[in-house]
Amino acid sequence: MAEQLSKSVLFVCLGNICRSPIAEAVFRKLVTDQKLSDHWRIDSAATSTYEIGNPPDYRGQSCMKKHGIPMNHTARQVLYWNLKVHMCVLCCSGSLTAALFLTGTWAGHQIQEL
């Protein structure tokens, strides 16, 4: 049987305390439930520096806890190399896609808007 290649996804939002860490946690749970976590690298980051070092927003944490989805995250900013090492970068709004492009961190076709 051929060895499966690792896949990777990076979720991006403005502060990395609401949308992207929730997307990361939900996707990680889905991958784990399918017993595929050994084949995935899942991460999230911010386009801004506003929230670096902060935990996810309490409302997101409460929602994840209510649905039994583990969330362990500290906000960080997306770096150019993040975009190069992930197969897919999912932006939580069109303005974030533009921000990645305008700041020179655009990595090409693997960036998509949610």
Side-chain angles (χ1 to χ4, degrees), residues 5-46:
L5 297 176
S6 291
K7 298 173 183 161
S8 60
V9 62
L10 175 68
F11 296 96
V12 177
C13 73
L14 181 65
N16 194 219
I17 62 165
C18 294
R19 295 169 289 176
S20 60
I22 288 171
E24 175 188 354
V26 170
F27 193 80
R28 187 178 309 282
K29 172 118 172 55
L30 292 170
V31 167
T32 300
D33 288 352
Q34 295 294 315
K35 300 186 184 346
L36 297 172
S37 56
D38 290 343
H39 303 288
W40 278 92
R41 178 179 179 181
I42 305 162
D43 203 356
S44 66

Side-chain angles (χ1 to χ4, degrees), residues 75-97:
R76 66 183 191 83
Q77 188 177 29
V78 66
L79 302 172
Y80 179 74
W81 73 267
N82 296 133
L83 303 177
K84 291 295 189 184
V85 300
H86 286 86
M87 289 175 59
C88 185
V89 178
L90 300 173
C91 295
C92 296
S93 78
S95 61
L96 298 174
T97 305

